[in-house]
Amino acid sequence: MSSTSRFASCLVACNIYVSASQKTILLDLLKQAQRSAEPVVVVHAFCDLVYNRSSFHLAGTAQGIAHVASQLASTAIQQLRATAAANTNTTTHAEISCDSASSNTTINAHPHVGSVDHIAVMPLQQGHDYDDDDGSKKPITSASTMTMTTTDADFTPKTASGWAALQIGQSLREKVAQDEKKNLLQVYYYGTATADNTPLATVRRDRTKFFQSVGSLTTTDLIPSQPSSEITTVGAPLEFAENYNLRCICSNKSQVQSLTRYLRERDGGLPGVEALTLPYGDVNKYEVACNLLKPTIASADDIWIRAQAWQQQQQSSNVIIERGYRVGTTAEECLQVWKSVQLNQEARVLHDSEVKERLEGYIQS
């Protein structure tokens, strides 16, 4: 059986991150995804007004995900470009905010590289996701010299999630090129969508300005200008990756950065945890944004426990860890929702309604 036909029916999850918080755009994107005839369900949708960043979390077959994700992403790019074209430089902050945050909301830029910043496809069926010639199902390991091209023309992914990620990237480029009459989208792949499993962090550091894009948003950032070229990262981590943030109040950013280092793996913290310190809204508010690349080994609960241990070690009480919260879903939640809506239209309608209601709550909060 070919990898294409084998992977098409495998269950995968997909996170689509959009650099926007406008209510009309987000609800339109949600409606589009929920009305798709493809075997895909929107498990969760999230909006962070302060970061002007939203996400859609899907589960379904690899082929269905490839179709729905590429369509949602291309629509997001089209609508954000149309919004940019329709607004002039005299648009006021209040006029911009009436469709999203209140006029007194402080908005910070979450690191990003484009209108659709990142699309991640993740496995939901460990053991069924690999297609190795020798049947060993060995995880792919990083090469010492990483291939940094967009993708290899003759590369065949070894995972369903990697296959779906390539399908999404290729389809998205075609859709944007068709709509704009020329190719204005650069796709950078990572994970099992590349021949050497290039990490997302490496792509972001070496090929984009992701880590240099932190700071306060201006009025023109809220309604982005039409770029000469869009950039998006599309890929597939080896495991289901989770996102967990810690909200902190502190007058000294360096102390929050100390917590960040205490949590992340590369500084001796929890295995598989990446972490970044970001300003959040008002002065003296920060977030430690965590990616959990191995949530079965280091979970969100483990991050919270370690953060509390760090706080107890501090000689001063200048850092208040206000709360921890999850952004997105877990593999278990995706599988549970997927199973609950299969062949049960009433359950599907109820679930879709709840997802929409939660998203509206995030937008209005």
Side-chain angles (χ1 to χ4, degrees), residues 107-127:
I107 300 182
N108 296 114
H110 188 284
H112 65 287
V113 297
S115 300
V116 176
D117 172 68
H118 176 206
I119 302 175
V121 186
M122 301 169 292
L124 286 177
Q125 292 177 303
Q126 291 288 0

Side-chain angles (χ1 to χ4, degrees), residues 75-322:
T75 300
I77 292 174
Q78 293 168 22
Q79 293 197 2
L80 288 173
R81 285 180 173 176
T83 301
N87 284 273
T88 65
N89 292 331
T90 59
T91 303
T92 67
H93 189 175
E95 289 172 333
I96 294 168
S97 299
C98 68
D99 194 32
S100 53
S102 61
S103 59
N104 61 356
T105 299
T106 301
I107 300 182
N108 296 114
H110 188 284
H112 65 287
V113 297
S115 300
V116 176
D117 172 68
H118 176 206
I119 302 175
V121 186
M122 301 169 292
L124 286 177
Q125 292 177 303
Q126 291 288 0
H128 298 279
D129 193 52
Y130 289 98
D131 185 22
D132 288 306
D133 294 336
D134 61 2
S136 62
K137 298 175 184 175
K138 298 175 183 176
I140 302 171
T141 56
S142 300
S144 57
T145 302
M146 295 181 176
T147 303
M148 298 308 295
T149 54
T150 300
T151 186
D152 296 328
D154 57 351
F155 168 62
T156 301
K158 296 291 187 179
T159 68
S161 46
W163 175 81
L166 276 186
Q167 298 300 309
I168 291 169
Q170 293 165 1
S171 178
L172 184 56
R173 291 189 68 189
E174 292 172 0
K175 291 177 185 297
V176 172
Q178 182 179 18
D179 294 332
E180 301 293 336
K181 307 304 181 184
K182 54 183 177 180
N183 189 1
L184 293 177
L185 179 67
Q186 180 66 59
V187 178
Y188 294 125
Y189 296 94
Y190 73 90
T192 63
T194 63
D196 49 22
N197 194 31
T198 308
L200 171 62
T202 300
V203 174
R204 281 175 163 171
R205 183 185 64 245
D206 294 350
R207 299 305 300 272
T208 77
K209 295 182 179 180
F210 179 85
F211 294 109
Q212 288 79 48
S213 61
V214 184
S216 297
L217 287 174
T218 64
T219 298
T220 53
D221 290 323
L222 289 169
I223 300 297
S225 60
Q226 290 181 290
S228 58
S229 178
E230 280 279 351
I231 295 176
T232 188
T233 51
V234 182
L238 280 172
E239 297 183 37
F240 191 103
E242 298 179 13
N243 303 119
Y244 185 77
N245 293 348
L246 294 171
R247 187 80 51 78
C248 302
I249 300 175
C250 183
S251 59
N252 188 345
K253 181 180 178 180
S254 64
Q255 285 189 283
V256 183
Q257 291 172 323
S258 171
L259 171 59
T260 300
R261 290 190 294 271
Y262 191 76
L263 295 174
R264 64 190 178 198
E265 180 179 28
R266 70 183 174 95
D267 290 311
L270 295 168
V273 172
E274 299 175 336
L276 188 66
T277 306
L278 302 173
Y280 191 85
D282 299 331
V283 176
N284 297 335
K285 277 197 174 183
Y286 298 92
E287 278 199 343
V288 179
C290 301
N291 292 333
L292 286 66
L293 304 184
K294 300 176 181 178
T296 57
I297 298 176
S299 67
D301 288 342
D302 293 326
I303 289 178
W304 178 255
I305 292 171
R306 188 169 175 84
Q308 294 300 305
W310 173 87
Q311 189 164 39
Q312 291 177 5
Q313 296 172 13
Q314 304 308 300
Q315 295 181 350
S316 67
S317 57
N318 290 338
V319 180
I320 298 174
I321 302 177
E322 196 174 27

